[in-house]
Amino acid sequence: MQTLLRPIVIRDLQIDPPLLLAPMAGLTHSALRQILFGFGGVGLASTEMLSAKRLPTESPRISPYLIRTPSERPLSYQLLTSTPDEIAAAMEALHAVKAEAIDLNMGCPAAAVGKFGAGFSLMEQPEAARSIVAEARKRTRLPLTAKIRLGSELDEAKLKSFCTMLQDEGIDLLSVHARLKNESFARRPRWELIRSVKQWLTIPVVANGGIFSVLDAENCLAVSGADGLMLGRGAAIKPWLFAEIARSLCGSTIAAPVVSLRVVYGDFIDHLNELFRPEYRLGRLKEFTHYFARNYKFGHYLASRVQSSASVEEAGDRATAFFERGT
Ligand SMILES: Cc1cc2nc3c(=O)[nH]c(=O)nc-3n(C[C@H](O)[C@H](O)[C@H](O)COP(=O)(O)O)c2cc1C
């Protein structure tokens, strides 16, 4: 198989292979990231979105959003903010935890986020977005990236002007979730529009949305011409997918993943128990199981048994019973 993707270098950071973990609330915490790095093939991992307002008061030792082990490197921290006023203190906190990169969330379409002028709503307020990027650029020398959607409707001129503004203000890499604001995850992603974004910009462009297999990755690259790929739900369903794509499309010589679903699930629970306070464990196990259960034909049964569990121990016992039936 020919090597289709080359490492991305932004400032002092080498993203090799150019396969990035998408930020996902409730999912891309230390427990999942450790499993992903264990299989290999992750060029840059991510936290979930972090409130810039709350960040300065979070304890990196205790906060489930900030806990991180030495194996999870390099790691990008995603900021959610609506105002440049929150940037300086948030950046200081991210420098203190030794972030390798900082991402600005400009794609989250949730109403609760939009209400405060953050996430996707920044794409509708380019001047607010510009002032946030300008302030962030002034406050850090770390690689500064942004993650966007395609817009609220198909409007290439508007999208172009937003993307070039981000580049002009000093964004080092742009990730594009190839959907419009209100398009559901069930809809086919519009990878072809990423090709336009790529033509407008000189910074690396990373394609995101709908990559669940090596074949999807190959198709996405062929259609988008992107410099790198970002995996979200696919990483939670198949944490070894990065390794498979790295070997197939990036010329990586890492070991072929040897997968035992049961071992992956057990490791995930162990990491939760080792790292997180008890009250932070069960919700994260349920969220992960919602995706991971898709590896099984009758996975909805596993997911619903875990969903109705009252503790991590009960969920673990129910999962063990499910695995022993060999479903
Ligand atoms: C459970 C969940 C949580 C998410 N949280 C975030 C987030 O915190 N920040 C963000 O920019 N996008 C978030 N997203 C969007 C993903 O980063 C990604 O753009 C989307 O899932 C499409 O990629 P995929 O098809 O590979 O999953 C989230 C998606 C899911 C499913």
Side-chain angles (χ1 to χ4, degrees):
M1 172 74 67
Q2 100 205 80
T3 301
L4 296 174
L5 280 171
R6 313 241 160 249
I8 293 174
V9 180
I10 45 172
R11 299 191 170 230
D12 292 338
L13 178 66
Q14 165 125 338
I15 306 177
D16 181 15
L19 304 177
L20 289 74
L21 176 63
M24 290 186 289
L27 274 175
T28 51
H29 44 67
S30 180
L32 179 62
R33 293 190 309 245
Q34 283 186 67
I35 289 175
L36 294 167
F37 277 109
F39 281 112
V42 184
L44 181 62
S46 180
T47 65
E48 61 188 88
M49 56 183 163
L50 306 167
S51 155
K53 189 175 179 172
R54 283 209 310 265
L55 193 54
T57 59
E58 296 270 346
S59 156
R61 223 170 28 81
I62 298 169
S63 165
Y65 310 112
L66 296 180
I67 287 171
R68 168 191 188 179
T69 62
S71 68
E72 302 158 50
R73 192 169 300 275
L75 180 61
S76 170
Y77 289 68
Q78 190 190 53
L79 280 183
L80 183 74
T81 185
S82 59
T83 162
D85 301 346
E86 293 170 352
I87 292 288
M91 290 290 179
E92 213 173 293
L94 294 183
H95 292 154
V97 296
K98 305 222 177 322
E100 276 82 27
I102 297 172
D103 185 59
L104 299 172
N105 182 327
M106 300 194 174
C108 178
V113 164
K115 202 164 74 181
F116 298 105
F120 177 84
S121 69
L122 289 173
M123 290 193 75
E124 299 292 3
Q125 306 167 71
E127 281 315 308
R130 181 197 296 278
S131 64
I132 288 169
V133 177
E135 179 67 12
R137 187 67 289 167
K138 209 166 74 191
R139 299 284 177 177
T140 190
R141 292 193 182 147
L142 288 173
L144 182 63
T145 65
K147 179 162 175 284
I148 62 169
R149 282 196 176 214
L150 294 171
S152 47
E153 68 267 337
L154 287 179
D155 182 340
E156 288 215 11
K158 192 170 166 188
L159 180 60
K160 180 178 181 185
S161 128
F162 192 79
C163 292
T164 48
M165 177 277 285
L166 293 177
Q167 175 172 283
D168 292 347
E169 294 296 338
I171 288 291
D172 296 308
L173 172 150
L174 183 66
S175 310
V176 185
H177 177 189
R179 290 192 174 89
L180 297 169
K181 180 190 178 196
N182 291 320
E183 285 179 341
S184 86
F185 285 162
R187 194 198 183 283
R188 186 188 66 78
R190 301 171 187 266
W191 294 330
E192 64 283 2
L193 290 177
I194 295 179
R195 188 169 283 279
S196 304
V197 177
K198 172 89 192 107
Q199 279 159 5
W200 301 327
L201 303 183
T202 54
I203 57 173
V205 173
V206 170
N208 169 239
I211 300 171
F212 296 99
S213 65
V214 172
L215 187 61
D216 288 339
E218 232 175 304
N219 289 339
C220 176
L221 273 184
V223 174
S224 69
D227 299 294
L229 301 174
M230 176 180 270
L231 278 59
R233 294 160 297 158
I237 300 169
K238 298 187 189 304
W240 53 92
L241 183 56
F242 280 98
E244 289 181 344
I245 297 174
R247 285 168 53 85
S248 297
L249 305 182
C250 309
S252 169
T253 55
I254 58 171
V258 178
V259 179
S260 157
L261 296 178
R262 200 181 160 150
V263 169
V264 171
Y265 198 78
D267 286 350
F268 184 86
I269 292 181
D270 288 347
H271 294 323
L272 284 180
N273 287 332
E274 286 154 18
L275 293 163
F276 295 106
R277 286 183 163 186
E279 65 268 31
Y280 296 137
R281 296 174 191 161
L282 185 59
R284 285 173 175 76
L285 182 59
K286 290 178 178 177
E287 186 70 19
F288 174 65
T289 309
H290 173 73
Y291 293 94
F292 191 71
R294 295 186 197 179
N295 290 302
Y296 294 93
K297 190 163 171 213
F298 296 105
H300 56 280
Y301 181 74
L302 170 64
S304 71
R305 293 292 286 156
V306 168
Q307 197 58 42
S308 61
S309 297
S311 66
V312 169
E313 291 66 38
E314 185 175 26
D317 290 345
R318 289 176 170 188
T320 302
F322 176 85
F323 297 142
E324 277 168 2
R325 273 198 302 274
T327 319

